[in-house]
Amino acid sequence: MATRNSPAKSAVLELVRIRQSLAAWYRRARRDLPWRHTRDPYAIWVSEIMLQQTRVDTVIPRYGRWLARFPTVKALAKAPLDDVLAEWAGLGYYARARHLHRAACEVVEQYGGELPADVAAVRALPGVGRYTAGAILSLAFGQREPILDGNVIRVLTRLHAIDEDPHASPTQERLWALAAELVADGDPSEINQGLMELGATVCTPRRPACTACPLARQCRAHATGRSETLPAPSRPTRVVAVEQVSVALVRDDKILLARRPPTGLWGGLFELPTDERRPGESLDTAVRRVAEERVGLRFDSWQPLPVFHHVLSHRRMTFHGAYASVDRGPVRRRGYDAHRWVTLEAARSLGISRAMDRLLSKLP
DNA sequence: AAGACGGGGAT
DNA sequence: ATCCCAGTCTT
Protein backbone atom coordinates (compact mmCIF):
# COMPACT_ATOMS: atom_id res chain seq x y z
CA MET A 1 0.00 0.00 0.00
CA ALA A 2 1.44 3.36 -1.05
CA THR A 3 1.94 5.82 1.71
CA ARG A 4 0.16 9.12 1.78
CA ASN A 5 3.15 11.06 0.46
CA SER A 6 4.56 8.55 -2.01
CA PRO A 7 6.12 10.08 -5.16
CA ALA A 8 3.64 8.35 -7.43
CA LYS A 9 0.68 9.70 -5.57
CA SER A 10 1.99 13.26 -5.38
CA ALA A 11 2.70 13.18 -9.10
CA VAL A 12 -0.89 12.20 -9.77
CA LEU A 13 -2.15 14.96 -7.51
CA GLU A 14 0.10 17.43 -9.28
CA LEU A 15 -1.37 16.35 -12.62
CA VAL A 16 -4.90 16.86 -11.31
CA ARG A 17 -3.97 20.31 -10.08
CA ILE A 18 -2.40 21.26 -13.41
CA ARG A 19 -5.49 20.14 -15.37
CA GLN A 20 -7.83 22.03 -13.08
CA SER A 21 -5.78 25.24 -13.00
CA LEU A 22 -5.33 25.16 -16.76
CA ALA A 23 -9.00 24.50 -17.56
CA ALA A 24 -10.22 27.10 -15.08
CA TRP A 25 -7.79 29.67 -16.44
CA TYR A 26 -8.80 28.85 -20.02
CA ARG A 27 -12.49 29.30 -19.32
CA ARG A 28 -11.75 32.70 -17.85
CA ALA A 29 -9.01 34.05 -20.13
CA ARG A 30 -9.67 32.53 -23.53
CA ARG A 31 -9.82 34.86 -26.51
CA ASP A 32 -12.98 35.08 -28.52
CA LEU A 33 -11.87 33.52 -31.81
CA PRO A 34 -14.16 32.70 -34.75
CA TRP A 35 -13.44 28.95 -34.74
CA ARG A 36 -14.35 28.76 -31.06
CA HIS A 37 -18.00 29.34 -31.90
CA THR A 38 -18.42 26.08 -33.78
CA ARG A 39 -18.32 22.33 -33.26
CA ASP A 40 -18.58 21.66 -36.98
CA PRO A 41 -15.70 19.25 -37.62
CA TYR A 42 -15.15 20.68 -41.11
CA ALA A 43 -14.89 24.24 -39.78
CA ILE A 44 -12.49 23.13 -37.03
CA TRP A 45 -10.48 21.24 -39.61
CA VAL A 46 -10.23 24.31 -41.88
CA SER A 47 -9.13 26.47 -38.96
CA GLU A 48 -6.43 23.99 -37.95
CA ILE A 49 -5.00 23.79 -41.45
CA MET A 50 -5.01 27.58 -41.81
CA LEU A 51 -3.36 28.01 -38.43
CA GLN A 52 -0.41 25.75 -39.29
CA GLN A 53 2.64 28.01 -39.07
CA THR A 54 0.29 30.96 -39.46
CA ARG A 55 -0.62 33.63 -36.93
CA VAL A 56 -4.13 33.94 -35.52
CA ASP A 57 -4.46 37.54 -36.74
CA THR A 58 -3.62 36.45 -40.28
CA VAL A 59 -6.18 33.65 -40.24
CA ILE A 60 -9.16 35.51 -38.73
CA PRO A 61 -10.20 37.45 -41.87
CA ARG A 62 -9.56 34.45 -44.14
CA TYR A 63 -11.41 31.83 -42.10
CA GLY A 64 -14.87 33.35 -42.46
CA ARG A 65 -14.28 34.12 -46.11
CA TRP A 66 -13.29 30.50 -46.76
CA LEU A 67 -16.36 29.07 -45.04
CA ALA A 68 -18.60 31.48 -46.93
CA ARG A 69 -17.14 30.27 -50.23
CA PHE A 70 -16.77 26.59 -49.30
CA PRO A 71 -19.36 26.03 -46.53
CA THR A 72 -19.14 22.23 -46.47
CA VAL A 73 -16.78 19.40 -47.30
CA LYS A 74 -18.94 18.64 -50.34
CA ALA A 75 -18.76 22.24 -51.57
CA LEU A 76 -14.98 22.21 -51.24
CA ALA A 77 -14.65 18.84 -52.97
CA LYS A 78 -16.79 20.03 -55.85
CA ALA A 79 -14.76 23.22 -56.45
CA PRO A 80 -11.96 23.31 -59.05
CA LEU A 81 -8.47 23.37 -57.54
CA ASP A 82 -7.83 26.72 -59.27
CA ASP A 83 -10.67 28.26 -57.24
CA VAL A 84 -9.41 26.68 -54.03
CA LEU A 85 -5.89 28.04 -54.59
CA ALA A 86 -7.29 31.46 -55.50
CA GLU A 87 -9.12 31.54 -52.17
CA TRP A 88 -5.94 30.46 -50.37
CA ALA A 89 -3.80 33.04 -52.18
CA GLY A 90 -1.53 35.00 -49.87
CA LEU A 91 -1.68 32.53 -46.99
CA GLY A 92 1.46 30.66 -48.02
CA TYR A 93 2.36 26.98 -47.75
CA TYR A 94 0.05 26.21 -50.67
CA ALA A 95 0.37 22.46 -50.22
CA ARG A 96 -2.07 23.01 -47.35
CA ALA A 97 -4.76 24.09 -49.82
CA ARG A 98 -3.96 21.33 -52.31
CA HIS A 99 -4.05 18.72 -49.55
CA LEU A 100 -7.23 20.13 -48.04
CA HIS A 101 -8.95 19.94 -51.40
CA ARG A 102 -7.78 16.38 -52.03
CA ALA A 103 -8.74 15.38 -48.50
CA ALA A 104 -12.22 16.84 -49.00
CA CYS A 105 -12.61 14.68 -52.10
CA GLU A 106 -11.56 11.63 -50.10
CA VAL A 107 -14.01 12.44 -47.31
CA VAL A 108 -16.83 12.71 -49.84
CA GLU A 109 -15.88 9.47 -51.57
CA GLN A 110 -15.09 7.40 -48.50
CA TYR A 111 -17.30 8.87 -45.78
CA GLY A 112 -20.15 10.57 -47.63
CA GLY A 113 -18.86 14.04 -46.83
CA GLU A 114 -18.76 13.64 -43.03
CA LEU A 115 -15.39 13.73 -41.28
CA PRO A 116 -15.07 10.42 -39.40
CA ALA A 117 -14.64 10.58 -35.61
CA ASP A 118 -11.67 8.26 -35.84
CA VAL A 119 -8.13 9.46 -35.23
CA ALA A 120 -6.49 6.96 -37.61
CA ALA A 121 -8.90 7.80 -40.42
CA VAL A 122 -8.44 11.54 -39.98
CA ARG A 123 -4.68 11.18 -39.64
CA ALA A 124 -4.61 9.35 -42.97
CA LEU A 125 -6.01 12.36 -44.84
CA PRO A 126 -3.50 14.40 -46.83
CA GLY A 127 -2.25 17.41 -44.90
CA VAL A 128 -3.34 16.02 -41.54
CA GLY A 129 -0.42 15.15 -39.31
CA ARG A 130 -0.27 14.03 -35.73
CA TYR A 131 -0.97 17.49 -34.34
CA THR A 132 -3.93 18.30 -36.60
CA ALA A 133 -5.53 14.89 -36.10
CA GLY A 134 -5.31 15.36 -32.33
CA ALA A 135 -6.72 18.86 -32.56
CA ILE A 136 -9.69 17.83 -34.72
CA LEU A 137 -10.51 14.80 -32.60
CA SER A 138 -10.26 16.62 -29.28
CA LEU A 139 -11.87 19.93 -30.27
CA ALA A 140 -14.59 18.68 -32.61
CA PHE A 141 -15.33 15.28 -31.10
CA GLY A 142 -14.16 15.65 -27.49
CA GLN A 143 -11.88 12.64 -27.73
CA ARG A 144 -8.86 12.16 -25.45
CA GLU A 145 -6.25 12.84 -28.10
CA PRO A 146 -3.17 14.88 -27.22
CA ILE A 147 -1.76 17.72 -29.27
CA LEU A 148 1.78 19.02 -29.55
CA ASP A 149 2.44 22.22 -31.44
CA GLY A 150 4.90 25.06 -30.98
CA ASN A 151 2.91 26.50 -28.09
CA VAL A 152 2.53 23.21 -26.25
CA ILE A 153 6.22 22.42 -26.77
CA ARG A 154 7.10 25.69 -25.08
CA VAL A 155 4.69 25.20 -22.18
CA LEU A 156 5.78 21.61 -21.52
CA THR A 157 9.53 22.13 -21.87
CA ARG A 158 9.23 24.93 -19.33
CA LEU A 159 6.81 23.14 -17.02
CA HIS A 160 9.18 20.16 -16.82
CA ALA A 161 12.43 22.11 -17.39
CA ILE A 162 13.40 19.97 -20.38
CA ASP A 163 16.79 21.09 -21.70
CA GLU A 164 17.07 18.82 -24.71
CA ASP A 165 16.29 19.93 -28.26
CA PRO A 166 12.48 19.63 -28.36
CA HIS A 167 12.58 18.58 -32.01
CA ALA A 168 14.88 15.60 -31.46
CA SER A 169 12.99 12.31 -31.68
CA PRO A 170 13.39 11.08 -28.09
CA THR A 171 12.32 14.45 -26.72
CA GLN A 172 9.39 14.55 -29.12
CA GLU A 173 8.12 11.24 -27.79
CA ARG A 174 8.55 12.41 -24.23
CA LEU A 175 6.61 15.59 -24.96
CA TRP A 176 3.81 13.68 -26.67
CA ALA A 177 3.62 11.39 -23.64
CA LEU A 178 3.40 14.40 -21.33
CA ALA A 179 0.69 15.93 -23.53
CA ALA A 180 -1.22 12.61 -23.49
CA GLU A 181 -1.01 12.36 -19.71
CA LEU A 182 -2.69 15.76 -19.42
CA VAL A 183 -5.75 14.73 -21.44
CA ALA A 184 -6.11 11.37 -19.68
CA ASP A 185 -8.75 13.01 -17.49
CA GLY A 186 -10.84 16.16 -17.52
CA ASP A 187 -12.13 17.94 -20.62
CA PRO A 188 -9.65 17.27 -23.46
CA SER A 189 -10.91 20.20 -25.53
CA GLU A 190 -10.43 22.67 -22.70
CA ILE A 191 -7.07 21.22 -21.70
CA ASN A 192 -5.66 21.17 -25.22
CA GLN A 193 -6.93 24.64 -26.06
CA GLY A 194 -5.77 25.83 -22.64
CA LEU A 195 -2.24 24.61 -23.37
CA MET A 196 -2.17 26.41 -26.70
CA GLU A 197 -3.79 29.55 -25.33
CA LEU A 198 -1.32 29.64 -22.48
CA GLY A 199 1.58 29.34 -24.90
CA ALA A 200 0.13 32.03 -27.15
CA THR A 201 -0.73 34.63 -24.53
CA VAL A 202 1.23 33.95 -21.30
CA CYS A 203 4.02 31.42 -21.81
CA THR A 204 5.36 33.39 -24.77
CA PRO A 205 8.74 32.86 -26.48
CA ARG A 206 10.17 36.08 -25.03
CA ARG A 207 9.35 37.70 -21.73
CA PRO A 208 6.76 35.17 -20.55
CA ALA A 209 4.20 36.58 -18.09
CA CYS A 210 4.94 34.09 -15.34
CA THR A 211 3.22 36.23 -12.70
CA ALA A 212 -0.03 35.74 -14.63
CA CYS A 213 0.50 32.02 -15.25
CA PRO A 214 -1.91 29.52 -13.70
CA LEU A 215 0.86 26.89 -13.71
CA ALA A 216 3.64 29.03 -12.21
CA ARG A 217 3.60 27.11 -8.93
CA GLN A 218 4.17 23.81 -10.72
CA CYS A 219 6.64 25.15 -13.29
CA ARG A 220 10.19 23.79 -12.96
CA ALA A 221 11.62 26.44 -15.31
CA HIS A 222 10.02 29.23 -13.31
CA ALA A 223 11.33 27.74 -10.05
CA THR A 224 14.87 27.66 -11.42
CA GLY A 225 14.80 30.97 -13.31
CA ARG A 226 14.97 29.39 -16.75
CA SER A 227 11.62 30.47 -18.20
CA GLU A 228 13.29 32.71 -20.74
CA THR A 229 15.99 30.26 -21.80
CA LEU A 230 13.73 27.28 -22.50
CA PRO A 231 12.99 25.68 -24.87
CA ALA A 232 16.44 25.18 -26.40
CA PRO A 233 16.74 27.15 -29.67
CA SER A 234 16.47 25.19 -32.88
CA ARG A 235 19.07 25.37 -35.59
CA PRO A 236 18.22 28.10 -38.13
CA THR A 237 17.58 27.07 -41.75
CA ARG A 238 19.94 28.41 -44.35
CA VAL A 239 18.58 31.14 -46.59
CA VAL A 240 19.86 31.08 -50.17
CA ALA A 241 19.84 34.24 -52.30
CA VAL A 242 18.41 33.89 -55.81
CA GLU A 243 17.57 36.35 -58.57
CA GLN A 244 14.25 35.93 -60.36
CA VAL A 245 13.40 37.39 -63.75
CA SER A 246 9.70 37.86 -64.57
CA VAL A 247 8.23 39.17 -67.82
CA ALA A 248 4.87 40.89 -68.18
CA LEU A 249 3.93 40.26 -71.80
CA VAL A 250 1.12 42.48 -73.06
CA ARG A 251 -1.19 41.90 -76.01
CA ASP A 252 -4.53 43.66 -76.56
CA ASP A 253 -4.49 45.10 -73.03
CA LYS A 254 -4.09 41.65 -71.56
CA ILE A 255 -1.11 40.06 -69.87
CA LEU A 256 0.04 36.48 -69.98
CA LEU A 257 -0.18 34.40 -66.81
CA ALA A 258 1.03 30.80 -66.65
CA ARG A 259 0.29 28.08 -64.11
CA ARG A 260 3.13 26.46 -62.24
CA PRO A 261 3.30 22.67 -61.97
CA PRO A 262 1.07 21.17 -59.27
CA THR A 263 3.79 20.55 -56.67
CA GLY A 264 6.79 22.38 -55.32
CA LEU A 265 7.14 26.06 -54.60
CA TRP A 266 3.91 27.97 -55.31
CA GLY A 267 2.59 24.76 -56.89
CA GLY A 268 -0.56 25.27 -58.96
CA LEU A 269 -0.41 29.08 -58.70
CA PHE A 270 -0.37 31.43 -61.68
CA GLU A 271 2.51 33.79 -62.34
CA LEU A 272 4.12 36.03 -64.91
CA PRO A 273 6.56 33.85 -66.87
CA THR A 274 9.52 33.64 -64.53
CA ASP A 275 12.87 31.93 -64.24
CA GLU A 276 16.04 32.23 -62.26
CA ARG A 277 18.68 34.52 -63.66
CA ARG A 278 21.78 32.55 -64.52
CA PRO A 279 25.22 33.41 -63.13
CA GLY A 280 26.83 36.15 -65.19
CA GLU A 281 23.76 36.55 -67.40
CA SER A 282 22.91 40.11 -68.41
CA LEU A 283 19.43 41.30 -67.54
CA ASP A 284 18.55 41.85 -71.22
CA THR A 285 19.63 38.33 -72.12
CA ALA A 286 17.74 36.90 -69.15
CA VAL A 287 14.50 38.77 -69.91
CA ARG A 288 14.49 37.63 -73.55
CA ARG A 289 15.47 34.09 -72.61
CA VAL A 290 12.67 33.74 -70.07
CA ALA A 291 10.04 34.88 -72.58
CA GLU A 292 11.45 32.68 -75.34
CA GLU A 293 12.15 29.55 -73.28
CA ARG A 294 9.15 29.53 -71.03
CA VAL A 295 6.35 30.77 -73.28
CA GLY A 296 7.91 30.95 -76.75
CA LEU A 297 7.41 34.69 -77.31
CA ARG A 298 9.76 37.44 -78.55
CA PHE A 299 9.70 41.24 -78.58
CA ASP A 300 11.83 44.17 -79.71
CA SER A 301 12.10 46.33 -76.63
CA TRP A 302 11.15 46.04 -72.98
CA GLN A 303 10.87 48.31 -69.95
CA PRO A 304 12.16 47.44 -66.49
CA LEU A 305 9.89 47.36 -63.44
CA PRO A 306 11.12 48.44 -60.00
CA VAL A 307 13.32 45.78 -58.43
CA PHE A 308 12.19 44.37 -55.08
CA HIS A 309 13.13 41.68 -52.59
CA HIS A 310 10.87 38.88 -51.45
CA VAL A 311 11.88 36.70 -48.53
CA LEU A 312 10.74 33.12 -47.95
CA SER A 313 11.72 30.80 -45.14
CA HIS A 314 14.50 29.28 -47.26
CA ARG A 315 15.08 31.82 -50.07
CA ARG A 316 15.85 35.48 -50.38
CA MET A 317 14.63 36.43 -53.83
CA THR A 318 15.42 39.51 -55.85
CA PHE A 319 12.75 40.08 -58.50
CA HIS A 320 13.64 41.80 -61.75
CA GLY A 321 10.44 42.56 -63.65
CA ALA A 322 10.19 43.43 -67.34
CA TYR A 323 7.31 44.79 -69.35
CA ALA A 324 6.97 44.28 -73.12
CA SER A 325 4.39 44.26 -75.88
CA VAL A 326 4.19 41.14 -78.03
CA ASP A 327 2.57 40.48 -81.38
CA ARG A 328 0.32 37.60 -82.30
CA GLY A 329 1.85 34.18 -82.17
CA PRO A 330 1.27 30.94 -80.35
CA VAL A 331 2.28 30.47 -76.71
CA ARG A 332 4.62 27.51 -76.36
CA ARG A 333 4.72 26.56 -72.70
CA ARG A 334 7.73 25.01 -71.03
CA GLY A 335 7.51 24.13 -67.35
CA TYR A 336 3.94 25.44 -67.09
CA ASP A 337 0.78 23.38 -67.42
CA ALA A 338 -1.67 26.12 -68.44
CA HIS A 339 -1.77 29.78 -69.42
CA ARG A 340 -4.25 32.61 -69.74
CA TRP A 341 -4.37 36.07 -71.28
CA VAL A 342 -6.14 38.21 -68.70
CA THR A 343 -6.64 41.81 -67.72
CA LEU A 344 -4.57 43.06 -64.81
CA GLU A 345 -7.74 43.10 -62.75
CA ALA A 346 -8.50 39.45 -63.49
CA ALA A 347 -4.88 38.47 -62.94
CA ARG A 348 -4.99 39.62 -59.34
CA SER A 349 -8.02 37.46 -58.60
CA LEU A 350 -6.36 34.30 -59.90
CA GLY A 351 -4.41 32.13 -57.47
CA ILE A 352 -1.13 34.02 -57.30
CA SER A 353 1.61 34.28 -54.70
CA ARG A 354 2.27 37.38 -52.65
CA ALA A 355 5.48 37.89 -54.64
CA MET A 356 3.49 37.94 -57.88
CA ASP A 357 0.92 40.29 -56.39
CA ARG A 358 3.71 42.66 -55.47
CA LEU A 359 5.10 42.40 -58.99
CA LEU A 360 1.73 43.07 -60.63
CA SER A 361 1.27 46.13 -58.44
CA LYS A 362 4.33 47.65 -60.15
CA LEU A 363 2.91 47.45 -63.65
CA PRO A 364 2.13 50.81 -65.30
C1' DA B 1 17.55 13.79 -39.19
C1' DA B 2 17.29 17.40 -42.37
C1' DG B 3 15.27 20.16 -45.90
C1' DA B 4 11.29 22.07 -48.59
C1' DC B 5 7.54 24.74 -48.14
C1' DG B 6 5.18 31.29 -47.49
C1' DG B 7 4.20 35.00 -45.34
C1' DG B 8 3.93 38.32 -41.76
C1' DG B 9 4.40 40.45 -37.15
C1' DA B 10 7.10 41.35 -33.07
C1' DT B 11 11.53 42.74 -31.13
C1' DA C 1 18.29 41.34 -38.76
C1' DT C 2 16.21 37.46 -36.06
C1' DC C 3 12.72 34.66 -34.39
C1' DC C 4 8.89 31.81 -34.99
C1' DC C 5 4.26 31.02 -35.51
C1' DA C 6 -2.41 26.03 -33.65
C1' DG C 7 3.07 21.64 -39.02
C1' DT C 8 3.31 18.26 -42.88
C1' DC C 9 5.63 15.82 -46.31
C1' DT C 10 9.65 14.13 -48.65
C1' DT C 11 14.19 12.43 -48.90
Side-chain angles (χ1 to χ4, degrees), chain A residues 11 96 194 214 298 308:
Chain A
R96 292 183 293 174
R298 298 167 184 263
F308 66 96

Side-chain angles (χ1 to χ4, degrees), chain A residues 152-174:
Chain A
V152 182
I153 286 173
R154 194 163 52 252
V155 169
L156 293 180
T157 53
R158 286 175 178 167
L159 188 61
H160 299 278
I162 294 170
D163 295 295
E164 292 77 19
D165 173 7
H167 292 101
S169 281
T171 318
Q172 277 281 304
E173 285 318 307
R174 183 178 170 198

Side-chain angles (χ1 to χ4, degrees), chain A residues 14-15 17-19 21-22 151-162 174 178 182 195 198-199 202-204 208-231:
Chain A
E14 176 118 320
L15 210 44
R17 238 187 325 257
I18 288 171
R19 284 190 201 107
S21 303
L22 188 61
N151 286 312
V152 182
I153 286 173
R154 194 163 52 252
V155 169
L156 293 180
T157 53
R158 286 175 178 167
L159 188 61
H160 299 278
I162 294 170
R174 183 178 170 198
L178 290 168
L182 285 170
L195 282 168
L198 191 66
V202 173
C203 195
T204 49
C210 299
T211 55
C213 181
L215 307 184
R217 274 172 297 285
Q218 290 99 333
C219 183
R220 300 280 306 127
H222 182 53
T224 55
R226 285 184 288 166
S227 301
E228 300 208 41
T229 57
L230 291 175

Side-chain angles (χ1 to χ4, degrees), chain A residues 13 22 29 41 77 103 123-124 128 170 189 200 207 215 219 225 227 251 259 272 276 340-341 354:
Chain A
L13 289 174
L22 188 61
R123 174 73 179 79
V128 179
S189 175
R207 301 178 54 77
L215 307 184
C219 183
S227 301
R251 172 192 289 174
R259 193 172 63 197
L272 296 181
E276 277 189 30
R340 290 186 201 170
W341 291 97
R354 197 62 93 189

Side-chain angles (χ1 to χ4, degrees), chain A residues 100-240:
Chain A
L100 187 55
H101 182 243
R102 188 147 55 85
C105 294
E106 289 184 14
V107 169
V108 167
E109 288 167 13
Q110 299 174 23
Y111 309 109
E114 296 291 324
L115 209 52
D118 178 279
V119 70
V122 171
R123 174 73 179 79
L125 295 169
V128 179
R130 194 171 174 182
Y131 161 77
T132 303
I136 293 170
L137 270 292
S138 62
L139 307 194
F141 298 110
Q143 294 190 9
R144 295 195 183 287
E145 293 295 334
I147 57 164
L148 187 69
D149 71 336
N151 286 312
V152 182
I153 286 173
R154 194 163 52 252
V155 169
L156 293 180
T157 53
R158 286 175 178 167
L159 188 61
H160 299 278
I162 294 170
D163 295 295
E164 292 77 19
D165 173 7
H167 292 101
S169 281
T171 318
Q172 277 281 304
E173 285 318 307
R174 183 178 170 198
L175 289 167
W176 274 105
L178 290 168
E181 160 180 289
L182 285 170
V183 290
D185 196 10
D187 181 330
S189 175
E190 282 188 348
I191 290 166
N192 279 342
Q193 292 191 78
L195 282 168
M196 291 191 286
E197 190 76 349
L198 191 66
T201 64
V202 173
C203 195
T204 49
R206 279 166 296 251
R207 301 178 54 77
C210 299
T211 55
C213 181
L215 307 184
R217 274 172 297 285
Q218 290 99 333
C219 183
R220 300 280 306 127
H222 182 53
T224 55
R226 285 184 288 166
S227 301
E228 300 208 41
T229 57
L230 291 175
S234 54
R235 191 181 43 67
T237 60
R238 193 169 303 290
V239 178
V240 178

